[in-house]
């Protein structure tokens, strides 16, 4: 195993471009650890990215996302396409062990040189999940993978950070995923591009299908009508049909000239998400280590200073923004 001294920015970038597994593994570990070398690497290879098709796979814990990805990968490999799979665990800063289940589920593909699979935590990332995910994705893209799956468990905001970069978003549900139905209904969860209802062997699968259908039918304005596919990942049932729907979505984006637009919006969103996360981390650290700013908070607490004045002073001191809030001044 190469240790970190064996890689320079140049050899690592060259290895990644060739799709060398050890280089990819090292690169993603560097990404995970927010190592400065990862930053250099992604900067170097960025001009070579943009050809991978990115499918974001999200949904509640245990619905069968990894099993479904393993089955999809099996089918896609028959066409000769190469793949990357990144599982991002929003709850865990460390990948070791935390995603053991995914490793088992995807183990049949570990020896296939055309597939690169990696679970990832995000320790110490000032830019949050979005930063680590984006970097890992760009590494696999630069490595020439045709398709990259990004899996994350749906936990509200964090999943948007992870799959916000996807060309196609696949939501996986199973009978009993009532919370997700509520979130879709309430508009908390964005309507995905494709929905799989997995574990269709369950007696409540049809009820679930009808519920999801009725929610989607409320939205008349969307041009792309989100298809719902019943699957049973463990038996490879409905998987080919599911992939056909993902490809249909891709074709739709292509035909309507929407892919570039979506990527532009996604990338802009990523840049803002990372910048915002970093700004927030910077702010928190600054306030934490500054007795004067702490005192402001105490004054607010004692009702000696109003909250917005405190905000203004903090922004002024931490970001040197002055009064960015309008023409009024103190
Ligand atoms: N009966 C049945 N079980 C399934 C099906 N698909 C997956 N499972 C089982 O469901 C369990 C969870 O599957 P995973 O693929 O790990 O689910 P996941 O959504 O990736 O889980 P997390 O990553 O932990 O959120 C495993 O025991 C699978 O074998 C299915 O279609 N039918
Ligand atoms: Mg999983």
């Amino acid at each position: 195993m190469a240790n970190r001294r064996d890689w320079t920015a140049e050899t690592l970038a060259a290895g990644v471009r060739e799709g060398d597994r050890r280089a990819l593994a090292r690169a993603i570990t560097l990404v995970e650890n927010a190592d400065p070398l990862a930053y250099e690497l992604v900067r170097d290879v960025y001009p070579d990215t943009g050809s991978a098709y990115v499918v974001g796979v999200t949904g509640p814990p245990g619905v069968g996302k990894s099993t479904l990805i393993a089955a999809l990968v099996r089918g896609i490999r028959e066409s000769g396409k190469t793949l990357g799979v990144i599982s991002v665990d929003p709850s865990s800063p460390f990948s070791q062990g935390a995603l053991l289940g995914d490793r088992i589920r995807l183990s049949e593909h570990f020896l296939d040189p055309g597939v690169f699979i990696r679970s990832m935590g995000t320790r110490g990332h000032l830019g949050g999940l979005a930063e680590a995910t984006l970097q890992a994705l760009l590494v696999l893209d630069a490595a020439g993978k045709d398709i990259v799956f990004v899996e994350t468990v749906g936990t509200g905001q964090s999943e948007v950070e992870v799959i916000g970069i996807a060309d196609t978003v696949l939501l996986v549900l199973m009978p009993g995923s009532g919370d997700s139905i509520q979130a879709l209904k309430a508009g908390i969860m964005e309507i995905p591009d494709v929905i799989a209802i997995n574990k269709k062997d369950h007696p409540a699968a049809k009820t679930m299908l009808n519920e999801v259908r009725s929610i989607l039918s409320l939205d008349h304005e969307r041009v792309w009508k989100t298809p719902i596919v019943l699957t049973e990942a463990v038996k490879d049932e409905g998987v080919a049909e599911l992939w056909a729907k993902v490809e249909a979505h891709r074709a739709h984006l292509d035909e309507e000239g929407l892919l570039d637009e979506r990527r532009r919006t996604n990338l802009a969103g990523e840049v803002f998400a990372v910048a915002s996360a970093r700004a927030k981390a910077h702010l928190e650290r600054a306030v934490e280590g500054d007795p004067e700013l702490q005192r402001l908070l105490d004054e607010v607490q004692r009702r000696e200073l109003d909250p917005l004045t405190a905000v203004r002073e903090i922004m002024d001191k931490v970001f040197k923004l002055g009064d960015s809030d309008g023409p009024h001044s103190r």
Side-chain angles (χ1 to χ4, degrees):
M1 202 59 184
N3 63 39
R4 60 172 303 156
R5 279 188 305 277
D6 297 330
W7 296 104
T8 63
E10 290 75 27
T11 58
L12 193 60
V16 162
R17 282 197 181 90
E18 285 162 21
D20 176 78
R21 292 175 87 82
R22 281 188 319 139
L24 287 177
R26 170 48 53 182
I28 293 180
T29 298
L30 293 171
V31 162
E32 198 173 34
N33 296 339
D35 192 292
L37 195 51
Y39 163 81
E40 269 183 63
L41 169 71
V42 172
R43 189 192 53 197
D44 286 354
V45 301
Y46 189 64
D48 307 325
T49 62
S51 44
Y53 196 81
V54 183
V55 181
V57 181
T58 188
V63 292
K65 298 178 293 296
S66 302
T67 313
L68 212 43
I69 290 172
L72 288 166
V73 167
R74 208 177 300 136
I76 296 163
R77 282 301 288 149
E78 281 168 17
S79 71
K81 290 200 168 91
T82 58
L83 288 122
V85 180
I86 316 169
S87 302
V88 185
D89 185 351
S91 63
S92 163
F94 308 103
S95 62
Q96 272 78 17
L99 289 147
L100 193 64
D102 291 342
R103 292 183 156 271
I104 295 163
R105 239 67 84 198
L106 290 155
S107 60
E108 64 172 282
H109 301 298
F110 275 126
L111 292 177
D112 179 350
V115 184
F116 184 86
I117 295 168
R118 178 63 184 260
S119 303
M120 202 175 68
T122 55
R123 90 185 95 170
H125 264 271
L126 287 181
L129 283 175
E131 180 174 317
T133 311
L134 177 62
Q135 302 238 104
L137 186 64
L138 291 171
V139 165
L140 294 182
D141 190 339
K145 301 300 175 205
D146 297 310
I147 292 156
V148 181
F149 285 104
V150 182
E151 174 187 344
T152 193
V153 67
T155 54
Q157 201 47 43
S158 61
E159 96 199 68
V160 178
E161 274 192 65
V162 172
I163 59 167
I165 195 66
D167 297 318
T168 297
V169 173
L170 166 62
L171 172 67
V172 185
L173 302 172
M174 64 178 231
S177 308
D179 290 354
S180 300
I181 298 284
Q182 291 311 321
L184 277 174
K185 208 182 234 168
I188 296 165
M189 189 191 287
E190 252 191 82
I191 303 290
D193 302 305
V194 180
I195 294 177
I197 298 177
N198 193 39
K199 310 198 186 183
K200 71 180 172 84
D201 46 320
H202 192 283
K206 281 271 150 55
T207 316
M208 181 94 191
L209 175 66
N210 291 332
E211 269 182 279
V212 176
R213 250 191 208 140
S214 74
I215 292 169
L216 295 182
S217 69
L218 298 175
D219 192 345
H220 303 290
E221 262 146 51
R222 289 170 66 86
V223 182
W224 171 254
K225 301 290 176 211
T226 298
I228 313 165
V229 185
L230 288 167
T231 60
E232 195 175 345
V234 282
K235 290 194 189 152
D236 219 345
E237 283 175 24
V239 175
E241 189 193 347
L242 179 62
W243 185 245
K245 296 301 183 194
V246 172
E247 295 215 297
H249 179 249
R250 179 183 186 163
H252 161 78
L253 292 179
D254 268 337
E255 282 155 20
E256 305 291 320
L258 295 171
L259 186 58
D260 280 349
E261 190 184 313
R262 181 161 180 151
R263 287 186 168 175
R264 171 183 281 268
T265 309
N266 284 354
L267 283 168
E270 293 295 300
V271 169
F272 268 88
V274 175
S276 311
R278 286 185 164 224
K280 183 165 177 254
H282 178 63
L283 183 61
E284 281 165 358
R285 284 183 188 185
V287 174
E288 219 174 74
D290 187 330
E292 194 190 315
L293 295 181
Q294 282 294 331
R295 199 161 49 240
L296 285 177
L297 295 180
D298 291 342
E299 283 174 28
V300 173
Q301 168 86 16
R302 291 198 300 268
R303 300 192 187 264
E304 293 164 8
L305 185 71
D306 69 284
L308 286 192
T309 304
V311 168
R312 197 173 298 161
E313 297 206 358
I314 289 171
M315 296 302 273
D316 200 11
K317 178 138 192 218
V318 178
F319 295 115
K320 321 243 173 329
L321 288 180
D323 186 1
S324 61
D325 217 19
H328 47 265
S329 60
R330 289 180 69 201

